[in-house]
Amino acid sequence: MNIHTPQTEDIELDLLVEAIYRKYHYDFRDYSAASLKRRLLQAREHFHCQTFSALQERVMHDTDLLPKLLGYLTIQVSEMFRDPTFFRALREQVVPHLRTYPSLKVWVAGCSAGEELYSLAILFREEGLEERTMFYATDINTTALRKAEAGVYDLDRIALFTANHQKSGGKSSLSDYYTAAYGAAVFDKSLRKRTVFSDHTLASDAVFAEVHLVCCRNVLIYFNRELQDRAVGLFKDSLVRRGFLGLGAKESLHFSAHAADFAELNREERLYQKRA
Amino acid sequence: MNESKKRSHIQALVIGGSAGAVGALMQLLPGLPGGFPLPVFIVIHLPPDDKGTLAGLLNSQCQMIVQEAEDKEPIRPGVISLAPANYHLLVERDFSFSLSQDDPVFYSRPSIDVLFESAADAYGSALAGVILTGASADGARGLQAVHRAGGRTFVQDPATAEVPTMPQAALAACPQAHVLPLSQLARTLCALALPTELHASLS
Ligand SMILES: C[S@@+](CC[C@H](N)C(=O)[O-])C[C@H]1O[C@@H](n2cnc3c(N)ncnc32)[C@H](O)[C@@H]1O
């Protein structure tokens, strides 16, 4: 079935993505093409370029443009205890297994500005697991990683975070973990003393540790099927036998090449366990 | 319009609506037979915390299968797929779905424009688009994209729409669209789904 013949714009778009990869090593070639195109169209408009070729010309010769363009190319929507029922299921179904290990490693892949990392750190503290755990929080967006390391969020997001935390089965008050100052909530730095933040891409980097839990939520939907398979393959190789994988609310291993290597622990909450 | 565009078979159907559209779908979709050969993609504006009960409700009323679209799911003919609340639904050129949480369009996620524009990219002239009742301008650009790609465009007659804003905006952006009352839409869409020769002999 050949409904589509390539238009000039499609050729230019492919070349732009290729150019970003060749020059800056950010590899968007295997992202979901339809939403990538939308975001690049928005970027093109923002940078007042008539064509993708013009945008390519600018990004090739103006290195300051890249961080801004990355802001368009990666989606940074997040919240603490996002989908509270996921975190509740984590407490109820995963934590009991994790308790049986003397030391733990957790990988938060695609951590954005850190909302998910702090949620997990709080949950692990509440469950008495924090002291035995190392967290790895990784992302390709270095601006987001810097925010994650700072742990400062607008105060007007805290009501939502607090409600989510309660619904997740929170055993303490979220206000125990931050101080409010000048319209911002500054999270306690002790929450991240066991965390390594690092620039890591699921598109081309390798496994770096053996971990017991991978949380990679709302990242895979931006990848095409091949890149999803690569990423899930990394998680599989990184996880210990019977280790756990948590995905986003609309992500699953349903269409994954690795589906058979995982058991569904909680279908609704997208929690998986690597088979032995 | 050139000959090849005129002759191409419609291979997919996109439908968008907002206020009043659940009722309109309840009237329209049961009119499509179980053997309807096209995949159907639908965006209805829903509150972000909607629990996805609409697909089940429609499924119980329809002869076709109605489901919520999943990320990277291959498109299947004869299946009606709805965008989940709070996610954009996009059609990829390899004829699978993608979901995304890109910014809302006209305060809406899912957005009709996002679905229609991506589907027009994937299907070109083999796409038909329908805009139903609604209180937003979302969908107008999308329907225009369907038309520009050479596809077929339909708008619910604003006079029969519960809220005429959306069909009016769609018509302003895409005046070439056929205007039809809801009661005639199912029959028209069935005719579209038939092979072109048969379709031509009917009209
Ligand atoms: C929507 S956010 C998800 C944040 C958080 N996990 C959550 O669920 O709330 C997606 C994140 O994935 C990151 N990302 C995109 N491509 C990536 C890649 N190839 N490798 C690692 N992270 C990536 C983006 O920079 C962004 O921070």
Side-chain angles (χ1 to χ4, degrees):
Chain A
M1 183 160 43
N2 189 8
I3 294 176
H4 190 84
T5 51
Q7 311 281 314
T8 308
E9 187 175 79
D10 299 332
I11 298 168
E12 291 179 281
L13 189 146
D14 284 350
L15 293 175
L16 168 61
V17 170
E18 181 71 23
I20 293 169
Y21 171 63
R22 297 265 295 271
K23 186 164 167 92
Y24 300 105
H25 309 291
Y26 281 101
D27 189 354
F28 293 99
R29 294 175 301 174
D30 280 324
Y31 280 49
S32 290
S35 54
L36 185 68
K37 178 173 176 183
R38 264 202 94 73
R39 292 198 291 281
L40 281 172
L41 281 169
Q42 284 168 356
R44 192 176 91 179
E45 196 178 311
H46 175 85
F47 295 114
H48 306 292
C49 294
Q50 292 292 321
T51 61
F52 287 131
S53 299
L55 183 57
Q56 178 181 333
E57 157 93 26
R58 288 209 33 207
V59 76
M60 284 300 97
H61 299 288
D62 174 1
T63 46
D64 294 342
L65 200 84
L66 185 75
K68 290 180 210 136
L69 190 58
L70 284 184
Y72 279 91
L73 289 171
T74 62
I75 306 293
Q76 300 299 327
V77 184
S78 192
E79 49 192 69
M80 283 181 80
F81 296 96
R82 180 181 193 171
D83 310 311
T85 51
F86 170 85
F87 288 90
R88 183 180 281 276
L90 208 57
R91 281 183 208 274
E92 290 169 0
Q93 290 176 270
V94 176
V95 163
H97 293 276
L98 296 182
R99 279 193 210 292
T100 64
Y101 293 95
S103 77
L104 292 168
K105 286 180 179 164
V106 174
W107 178 12
V108 185
C111 67
S112 188
E115 295 88 341
E116 190 177 0
L117 180 271
Y118 288 99
S119 308
L120 287 169
I122 289 168
L123 189 152
F124 272 56
R125 186 176 291 186
E126 288 175 335
E127 301 296 336
L129 293 174
E130 189 193 20
E131 289 303 319
R132 67 177 92 164
T133 306
M134 271 296 294
F135 293 94
Y136 299 94
T138 62
D139 204 286
I140 55 164
N141 188 314
T142 47
T143 313
L145 274 176
R146 273 199 299 277
K147 288 188 192 160
E149 264 179 284
V152 179
Y153 303 101
D154 283 347
L155 213 46
D156 57 18
R157 300 175 70 194
I158 292 296
L160 173 67
F161 294 0
T162 303
N164 285 352
H165 173 238
Q166 285 308 308
K167 286 185 211 154
S168 81
K171 294 174 175 169
S172 52
S173 164
L174 194 69
S175 59
D176 298 345
Y177 304 100
Y178 65 85
T179 46
Y182 306 107
V186 181
F187 276 78
D188 189 346
K189 61 176 181 294
S190 70
L191 287 170
R192 60 176 175 272
K193 70 173 189 287
R194 313 191 56 81
T195 301
V196 177
F197 294 91
S198 118
D199 184 352
H200 178 280
T201 173
L202 297 167
S204 51
D205 287 330
V207 166
F208 53 84
E210 183 171 68
V211 304
H212 302 80
L213 167 66
V214 174
C215 277
C216 182
R217 311 194 62 223
N218 308 295
V219 180
L220 296 183
I221 45 173
Y222 301 107
F223 296 172
N224 71 15
R225 217 168 324 172
E226 290 71 37
L227 187 51
Q228 287 193 356
D229 284 344
R230 182 185 198 277
V232 175
L234 286 185
F235 303 152
K236 188 178 81 180
D237 292 343
S238 179
L239 282 169
V240 299
R241 287 171 55 209
R242 300 190 187 284
F244 298 90
L245 170 64
L247 302 179
K250 295 294 175 200
E251 293 164 335
S252 76
L253 298 183
H254 210 128
F255 306 107
S256 168
H258 303 287
D261 299 312
F262 290 87
E264 261 178 4
L265 187 68
N266 185 328
R267 171 191 281 257
E268 189 64 20
E269 300 304 338
R270 320 292 165 138
L271 271 171
Y272 296 86
Q273 185 170 24
K274 185 176 153 181
R275 293 188 195 275
Chain B
M1 194 183 280
N2 66 37
E3 268 313 294
S4 71
K5 271 184 181 169
K6 252 196 252 167
R7 261 190 285 118
S8 71
H9 290 187
I10 295 300
Q11 296 191 350
L13 181 59
V14 284
I15 302 176
S18 117
V22 171
L25 288 180
M26 296 283 273
Q27 199 180 326
L28 170 64
L29 298 181
L32 301 179
F36 190 79
L38 308 184
V40 182
F41 322 132
I42 301 181
V43 162
I44 295 295
H45 294 163
L46 294 167
D49 55 355
D50 180 88
K51 290 286 174 277
T53 49
L54 181 60
L57 175 68
L58 287 170
N59 191 47
S60 68
Q61 308 285 311
C62 289
Q63 300 169 61
M64 291 178 72
I65 299 167
V66 188
Q67 60 157 24
E68 229 176 51
E70 277 190 62
D71 182 56
K72 302 293 141 15
E73 179 182 17
I75 285 164
R76 287 177 293 159
V79 176
I80 300 174
S81 301
L82 304 185
N86 208 17
Y87 287 81
H88 291 304
L89 172 63
L90 299 100
V91 175
E92 297 287 346
R93 289 203 179 137
D94 67 356
F95 305 107
S96 63
F97 294 122
S98 282
L99 299 178
S100 107
Q101 286 203 323
D102 276 352
D103 291 341
V105 175
F106 291 108
Y107 308 101
S108 298
R109 193 171 55 209
S111 144
I112 302 166
D113 284 344
V114 172
L115 170 65
F116 279 35
E117 286 173 1
S118 64
D121 253 5
Y123 283 94
S125 61
L127 184 70
V130 182
I131 294 292
L132 300 173
T133 165
S136 150
D138 185 23
R141 266 187 59 165
L143 197 70
Q144 199 178 45
V146 175
H147 175 74
R148 285 199 181 138
R152 305 283 301 266
T153 51
F154 302 90
V155 171
Q156 179 180 359
D157 183 350
T160 72
E162 197 173 313
V163 184
T165 317
M166 188 174 279
Q168 279 163 353
L171 279 172
C174 184
Q176 303 84 353
H178 298 267
V179 179
L180 286 172
L182 193 55
S183 56
Q184 276 177 35
L185 254 176
R187 248 188 43 213
T188 306
L189 298 177
C190 285
L192 259 192
L194 296 174
T196 311
E197 316 78 61
L198 253 176
H199 180 200
S201 68
L202 285 177
S203 52

